[in-house]
Amino acid sequence: MSATTRLSAARLNRLFLAGELSATEIVDAFLSRIGQVEPQVRAFITVTAAEARERAQRLDSRRKADGRDLGPLAGVPVAVKDNIVTQGIPTTCGSRILEGFVPPYDATVISRLQGAGAILIGKTNMDEFAMGSSTENSGFFPTRNPWDLERVPGGSSGGSAAAVAADECAVALGSDTGGSIRQPAAFCGVVGLKPTYGAVSRFGLVAFASSLDQIGPIAHDVADAALLFSVIAGHDRRDSTSAPNADRVAQFQPGPDTSLAGVRVGVPREFFAAGLDDGVRRAVEAAIQHLGSLGAEVREVSLPHVEYALDAYYVIAPAEASSNLARYDGVRYGYRSPGAESLLDMYLRTRRDGFGPEVKRRIMIGTYALSAGYYDAYYKKAQQVRTLVVRDFQQAFAEVDVLATPTTPTPAFRIGEKTDDPLAMYLADVYTIPVNLAGLPALSLPCGRVDGLPVGLQLIGRHFEEPLLFRVAHAFEKTTTHGQARPPLDG
Amino acid sequence: MHTAAQELEFETVVGLEVHVELGTRSKIFCGCSTAPGAEPNTQTCPVCLGYPGVLPVLNEQALAYAIRAALALNCEIARFSKFDRKQYFYPDLPKGYQISQYDQPLAHSGWVEIEVGGETRRIGIVRVHLEEDAGKLLHAGGVVDSGASYVDFNRCGVPLIEIVSAPDIRSPEEARAYLEKLRAIMIYTGVSEARLEMGQMRADVNISVRPVGSTAFGTRTELKNLSSFRAVMRGIEYEARRQWEVIRAGGEVVQETRHFDEERGITLSLRGKEEAHDYRYFPEPDLPPVVLTDEQIEKIRAGLPELPDARKARYVTEYGLSAYDAGLIVRDKAVADFFEESVRQYAKGPAGAKTLANWVINELQRILADRGLELGQTPLTPAHLVGMLKLIDEGTISGKIGKEVFEAMVETGQEAAAIVKERGLVQVTDEAELAAIARQVIEANPKVVEDWRKGKAAAAQFLVGQVMKATRGRANPQLAGRLVRAALAEVTGVTNE
Ligand SMILES: [Zn+2]
């Protein structure tokens, strides 16, 4: 394997700007890596080889011409989850119903990536409409975990996490509605950040559950995650939920300092209860101890309502999804079932054939939860629970600066292991979901391994305190070796 | 047939839900143009087409217009309101839901005053809320046997306000007066041109009947999407009568949505309560709530123009017009503006204003109504009218000729003086010429002259009329009268006064 694909994004950028590596060389190295491992991993729905080469050539000429303002990601190959729209490049959302859809516009994060000189290398596989925790719900094919090809990479950003872990791209974008960046990052042994709700524009992110969705970075190390985040974060007037102060969260400069003196780390006891794999528990407890050894003050806290978060989430997210997915009706774009005999028939056939089983399940749950007569019992009650979860976090953050938890209750499970048991699958996000309900930022980073499979440590912060998460994670990363491990892919 | 006495036993109860298109340049959640008359699907973008990933951004001008309209309807403006999704499948609704306001509307608790049959009544406004319009389906061939349907999304996302009245309306005439008042307020505040023929104002009508004296409401039916005042009145008339027939026959009115067939003048069942949509409303997560400060609201209130009721009152006190006449003028803002500018140019105070009011009501509004025109569609300016009045005042033309000149001005946009000159309409004041005509008329009407001789003073009027006719109206009427009487006295030796 080429050494180039093992370099960090920051390093690739420096080498490109210094003229030591051309963008074309970089792109070729990654495309060849994709050619080598993609048949096993299957992280991509679309590899944009031609576009990437063309862009690399343009970057190379620009660098030779004047070399100025090429951007902090210039020359860096980025993979993007296929629910983020890309002008002129098919965007499928992992669903048959978007068959043939080529967006005439870019998501804001894509424009920002381009402004920073990044090179889009492909669109990654995902659970259909981001619904799932294993990337097995993709409408096309499952992606495999580079650490163990018999296991899932996590979901729904499984394609992005696997692509980074397998060195098929330097960094990637995922989206996180209930854990869909952090859970696959943990399973694949990479760093993933779910930003504060409103920190990154959702314009161009195909909506799953609008009040929970957030785009975020997946990277090999904390510095790269911070770099990618600094490019995509910021206010966007095309997204009314974009925070006016989003620009100020973007800055984090990794320094040599690894002291965590003065940082209060809370350990919520509810995250270490039944259901937590012993190996994961040991790895996470050791990681928390390590934070203490770096000078952080560690104390136990309680989030009494998080045990209801999963239930609330599985009402709110499907409710919003049932609404957001109503637009796929076969009228304007994407798939339309042939042979319909009436308008209703066209709707029914198109949605029957276009959506997979998990999407249909959630549409039905959401439709039911919003129906007259059930709204109060389900949707409204779930929103009340959400408020309680938000308050739990507020109270905890009155005492501590950051919370440390496992990212997932278990390491990556086997392909097919939970496909027949949706409820078991839903539990894979039990530690990440409360964060989305509260709109908080959270980061997952590798903190050990169980039976050769990566384990993730989740750090949760106050709104817009991503810089603190980066600082704590960076200190941990610099003083341990967990993040340096690479999957035994090409043996 | 029913007798009037039987009809008196029942009372019609009507509430109106009126949609008004706001006159913003761009749509409510995207930058697309709202200009009417464009080719289908030329004013669309990924946002209003509901493409994947796009998000709505509220048009601040639409919000400001909605607040302005609600203030003009005497509403309370909510300091906190929010948007909701109203969900249903239809090809003209690209997102599968309409963004509207549901349980926390922008404004509530307002009222307007209407006048019907000399009686003033206050009609309550329950709420005013903002929402987006849907697109339009075009069927190739008939609706039923059409082989294909096409969708025009140009209207998708056009900003609307929905104005919901209390069930305070009691007759078709009141419904019409209410709609006319709403329309006038929208035009006065400049938030909408409220052109009915262009669908910029449309009404859903809730109708029930009950025995006079009862305070409980009967079961209501709803007529959807009526787009003319006439259709509203006829729909209410028919539907109230239908409900009453049902009750009189011992039946029960079914709560349902009905369609008013304008051609046949009847209502037909569209869908029953049991088939009613479950819209599954929930808060729109892509739009933050609308939070308004007192300052923002007061600033918009301070910018409100004089509204029709205030203007009417001012015409009564300032110009001494009757309330009825003032009401006729203010009904149409363009006409009222024309009237005021004419008063200013004519500069003859309240007396001049009354003269102008007569011309505006009796001539201008009649001509506009006859020709189905708006004032703005004619070349007529206040200067035209004032120029013509000056010719009358100077005695250059008679008032009667004035009417002819006025009509010509409306048609051609020429100045009064030019029309008078071109058509030779200058008043004949030459005594000798008129005296000669008077004598000819007397000779030609011996029977009338005989009446005069017998003491019938009115006979002179007829002869004056003949003089006017002979001069095509150009004779000075006073002079003609004097000369006819003098000639009669001369011929008959009889003087009648
Ligand atoms: Zn648009």
Side-chain angles (χ1 to χ4, degrees):
Chain A
M1 121 189 216
S2 159
T4 305
T5 59
R6 296 202 61 161
L7 299 174
S8 75
R11 186 83 195 284
L12 288 168
N13 179 246
R14 274 199 301 277
L15 292 171
F16 166 67
L17 294 180
E20 290 175 40
L21 262 181
S22 71
T24 303
E25 286 171 318
I26 297 172
V27 163
D28 283 344
F30 277 95
L31 286 176
S32 117
R33 173 70 177 169
I34 288 172
Q36 185 189 4
V37 302
E38 187 58 8
Q40 304 157 66
V41 179
R42 307 208 72 188
F44 288 92
I45 291 174
T46 308
V47 175
T48 52
E51 293 89 344
R53 285 203 177 95
E54 197 189 307
R55 182 150 171 80
Q57 274 164 16
R58 265 185 289 140
L59 279 165
D60 286 335
S61 351
R62 270 185 63 199
R63 197 194 60 76
K64 280 180 201 142
D66 72 353
R68 284 179 307 170
D69 305 323
L70 288 166
L73 287 177
V76 176
V78 180
V80 172
K81 188 175 181 178
D82 209 23
N83 60 350
I84 295 171
V85 299
T86 40
Q87 187 177 345
I89 295 166
T91 298
T92 70
C93 235
S95 181
R96 293 277 173 201
I97 210 159
L98 273 170
E99 200 175 290
F101 176 59
V102 180
Y105 50 101
D106 270 328
T108 297
V109 292
I110 298 296
S111 315
R112 284 175 171 255
L113 283 181
Q114 269 158 5
I119 299 169
L120 176 70
I121 199 147
K123 304 293 294 290
T124 56
N125 197 18
M126 56 184 286
D127 288 304
E128 185 178 1
F129 282 101
M131 295 175 192
S133 307
S134 67
T135 313
E136 291 164 294
N137 293 332
S138 165
F140 305 104
F141 48 82
T143 294
R144 290 162 185 273
N145 191 320
W147 290 86
D148 179 347
L149 296 171
E150 298 308 306
R151 290 179 188 264
V152 303
S156 60
S157 310
S160 284
V164 171
D167 295 323
E168 294 178 273
C169 58
V171 285
L173 290 184
S175 73
D176 191 315
T177 305
S180 289
I181 287 174
R182 292 158 287 159
Q183 185 255 17
F187 280 9
C188 292
V190 293
V191 177
L193 171 76
K194 193 291 263 194
T196 306
Y197 187 77
V200 176
S201 171
R202 288 186 297 115
F203 184 89
L205 172 65
V206 180
F208 161 15
S210 312
S211 75
L212 302 159
D213 298 339
Q214 193 68 182
I215 296 171
I218 296 173
H220 282 297
D221 63 32
V222 175
D224 271 5
L227 172 63
L228 187 51
F229 178 61
S230 73
V231 167
I232 61 169
H235 180 66
D236 179 12
R237 52 173 306 282
R238 289 189 295 179
D239 175 359
S240 305
T241 62
S242 165
N245 63 346
D247 297 307
R248 79 176 169 81
V249 302
Q251 297 316 316
F252 166 76
Q253 288 298 329
D257 185 17
T258 55
S259 166
L260 293 180
V263 178
R264 297 169 299 171
V265 175
V267 181
R269 69 174 73 96
E270 291 81 5
F271 285 67
F272 293 83
L276 178 59
D277 175 272
D278 275 340
V280 172
R281 176 199 302 272
R282 277 194 296 277
V284 171
E285 280 175 351
I288 291 168
Q289 237 173 20
H290 183 74
L291 294 177
S293 74
L294 294 175
E297 182 195 328
V298 178
R299 61 168 84 158
E300 192 179 272
V301 295
S302 175
L303 301 168
H305 297 98
V306 293
E307 66 169 302
Y308 308 112
L310 195 72
D311 307 81
Y313 175 88
Y314 277 100
V315 172
I316 293 167
E320 293 187 14
S322 72
S323 171
N324 285 328
L325 270 54
R327 71 191 62 198
Y328 306 103
D329 56 8
V331 174
R332 282 144 297 137
Y333 47 76
Y335 173 77
R336 178 191 293 175
S337 176
E341 282 170 7
S342 68
L343 177 61
L344 179 62
D345 196 34
M346 181 182 85
Y347 288 153
L348 296 176
R349 285 172 185 240
T350 296
R351 292 168 69 82
R352 180 194 66 199
D353 301 344
F355 287 134
E358 181 61 25
V359 171
K360 286 180 194 161
R361 185 179 297 129
R362 297 205 200 184
I363 289 173
M364 285 190 284
I365 292 170
T367 303
Y368 183 78
L370 289 173
S371 303
Y374 298 99
Y375 182 92
D376 285 355
Y378 295 104
Y379 183 81
K380 197 173 163 195
K381 184 63 79 182
Q383 289 292 14
Q384 288 165 346
V385 171
R386 184 175 188 171
T387 304
L388 294 175
V389 171
V390 169
R391 282 200 202 132
D392 276 6
F393 279 112
Q394 280 168 351
Q395 275 159 17
F397 283 123
E399 289 178 47
V400 298
D401 304 307
V402 59
L403 298 170
T405 78
T407 306
T408 59
T410 67
F413 44 87
R414 285 198 165 70
I415 289 171
E417 189 179 327
K418 299 189 180 183
T419 40
D420 296 333
D421 188 352
L423 294 178
M425 186 80 92
Y426 294 169
L427 283 171
D429 295 328
V430 67
Y431 299 143
T432 48
I433 276 170
V435 172
N436 297 76
L437 289 178
L440 299 167
L443 181 150
S444 176
L445 78 165
C447 72
R449 266 181 284 165
V450 176
D451 302 329
L453 297 169
V455 173
L457 168 70
Q458 176 174 236
L459 300 171
I460 307 167
R462 297 187 189 98
H463 290 113
F464 300 107
E465 290 203 350
E466 279 87 349
L468 179 65
L469 294 182
F470 290 136
R471 186 186 145 202
V472 174
H474 188 251
F476 182 87
E477 183 183 79
K478 283 291 131 195
T479 53
T480 59
T481 56
H482 306 298
Q484 291 160 23
R486 287 294 220 262
L489 239 193
D490 44 344
Chain B
M1 285 298 290
H2 345 284
T3 68
Q6 276 172 314
E7 282 189 38
L8 274 178
E9 291 169 10
F10 281 85
E11 177 175 58
T12 306
V13 177
V14 174
L16 291 171
E17 295 166 16
V18 179
H19 285 97
V20 178
E21 177 181 328
L22 297 176
T24 54
R25 288 168 161 277
S26 57
K27 295 185 178 180
I28 185 169
F29 298 125
C30 66
C32 288
S33 169
T34 55
E39 288 289 299
N41 297 310
T42 54
Q43 293 172 345
T44 61
C45 71
V47 174
C48 54
L49 288 176
Y51 266 53
V54 297
L55 298 167
V57 176
L58 178 61
N59 178 341
E60 292 296 327
Q61 183 66 61
L63 175 63
Y65 275 176
I67 295 170
R68 189 196 283 207
L71 286 171
L73 298 170
N74 302 297
C75 286
E76 294 278 319
I77 307 297
R79 271 27 175 197
F80 181 99
S81 61
K82 67 174 176 63
F83 288 98
D84 301 278
R85 292 185 182 178
K86 177 182 182 178
Q87 323 204 47
Y88 60 94
F89 283 99
Y90 205 64
D92 68 0
L93 191 72
K95 296 188 293 293
Y97 55 83
Q98 177 194 26
I99 302 178
S100 181
Q101 294 188 306
Y102 177 55
D103 58 348
Q104 290 179 285
L106 180 70
H108 58 90
S109 310
W111 50 266
V112 293
E113 271 178 0
I114 58 167
E115 219 171 276
V116 173
E119 196 192 331
T120 301
R121 293 206 55 224
R122 185 172 277 205
I123 307 298
I125 306 283
V126 177
R127 61 185 280 163
V128 175
H129 72 245
L130 261 172
E131 63 185 36
E132 59 178 339
D133 206 350
K136 204 166 79 178
L137 279 192
L138 307 158
H139 303 283
V143 177
V144 182
D145 54 3
S146 151
S149 296
Y150 303 96
V151 204
D152 177 6
F153 292 107
N154 281 354
R155 286 199 68 88
C156 266
V158 165
L160 304 177
I161 49 172
E162 182 172 336
I163 303 164
V164 181
S165 86
D168 290 346
I169 294 162
R170 294 288 174 269
S171 68
E173 292 72 28
E174 288 189 6
R176 185 190 179 106
Y178 170 78
L179 288 169
E180 282 179 347
K181 179 55 71 72
L182 286 193
R183 182 163 187 267
I185 290 172
M186 296 307 129
I187 292 169
Y188 269 75
T189 50
V191 306
S192 175
E193 291 183 22
R195 290 176 182 276
L196 276 73
E197 73 281 6
M198 297 179 73
Q200 291 172 343
M201 190 171 166
R202 354 190 249 270
D204 298 341
V205 190
N206 290 301
I207 304 159
S208 64
V209 295
R210 65 184 177 191
V212 167
S214 163
T215 51
F217 293 115
T219 304
R220 67 189 163 86
T221 61
E222 186 181 28
L223 305 184
K224 280 273 188 198
N225 248 328
L226 301 178
S227 59
S228 74
F229 293 160
R230 188 174 136 79
V232 170
M233 291 180 74
R234 288 170 67 215
I236 294 171
E237 185 85 56
Y238 177 89
E239 182 57 17
R241 192 170 290 260
R242 186 193 68 84
Q243 290 185 12
W244 168 48
E245 294 287 352
V246 169
I247 293 167
R248 260 181 21 127
E252 267 184 47
V253 175
V254 182
Q255 186 176 335
E256 62 185 353
T257 300
R258 296 179 70 85
H259 168 67
F260 179 61
D261 183 328
E262 283 202 57
E263 261 172 46
R264 290 193 281 170
I266 60 170
T267 68
L268 303 159
S269 180
L270 209 59
R271 61 173 180 266
K273 191 186 178 186
E274 62 279 4
E275 307 162 58
H277 280 121
D278 179 358
Y279 290 118
R280 304 190 316 280
Y281 284 98
F282 82 106
E284 167 56 88
D286 289 331
L287 287 169
V290 178
V291 180
L292 297 167
T293 63
D294 291 351
E295 290 71 39
Q296 285 171 297
I297 295 164
E298 290 317 311
K299 199 176 158 199
I300 293 173
R301 195 194 303 276
L304 277 182
E306 186 183 42
L307 294 172
D309 287 353
R311 200 176 259 204
K312 175 179 162 185
R314 184 164 60 78
Y315 288 1
V316 171
T317 56
E318 205 172 309
Y319 304 136
L321 300 189
S322 72
Y324 181 77
D325 284 356
L328 290 178
I329 295 174
V330 302
R331 204 167 52 176
D332 182 337
K333 179 171 186 285
V335 168
D337 289 345
F338 178 94
F339 168 72
E340 285 203 43
E341 179 55 21
S342 303
V343 170
R344 200 188 63 76
Q345 290 183 16
Y346 195 41
K348 295 214 169 157
K354 276 192 203 171
T355 305
L356 282 164
N358 286 334
W359 280 95
V360 165
I361 294 165
N362 296 327
E363 296 305 314
L364 177 58
Q365 293 192 320
R366 178 187 60 76
I367 294 170
L368 293 178
D370 283 355
R371 306 187 180 187
L373 288 177
E374 305 262 339
L375 180 53
Q377 293 169 299
T378 73
L380 193 75
T381 67
H384 283 116
L385 175 56
V386 170
M388 188 204 75
L389 284 181
K390 284 182 177 158
L391 292 182
I392 294 175
D393 293 347
E394 289 161 3
T396 307
I397 56 171
S398 64
K400 189 163 181 222
I401 290 292
K403 291 180 185 178
E404 185 186 334
V405 172
F406 189 76
E407 195 141 358
M409 290 193 300
V410 174
E411 270 167 18
T412 65
Q414 275 183 295
E415 297 290 338
I419 293 167
V420 167
K421 192 173 167 211
E422 196 177 293
R423 304 192 183 185
L425 296 174
V426 175
Q427 190 157 254
V428 180
T429 50
D430 184 315
E431 280 213 35
E433 189 186 341
L434 281 183
I437 295 170
R439 277 193 296 274
Q440 287 166 20
V441 165
I442 286 169
E443 276 169 30
N445 292 280
K447 204 172 158 313
V448 181
V449 174
E450 197 48 38
D451 287 347
W452 172 269
R453 200 190 303 276
K454 289 176 185 161
K456 213 169 169 187
Q461 281 315 311
F462 175 79
L463 295 172
V464 171
Q466 294 301 302
V467 173
M468 297 304 289
K469 197 175 166 189
T471 58
R472 286 181 296 122
R474 292 179 301 132
N476 179 312
Q478 286 78 34
L479 187 58
R482 187 159 61 76
L483 293 173
V484 164
R485 283 182 179 80
L488 280 170
E490 199 183 301
V491 172
T492 63
V494 175
T495 309
N496 288 318
E497 286 308 330

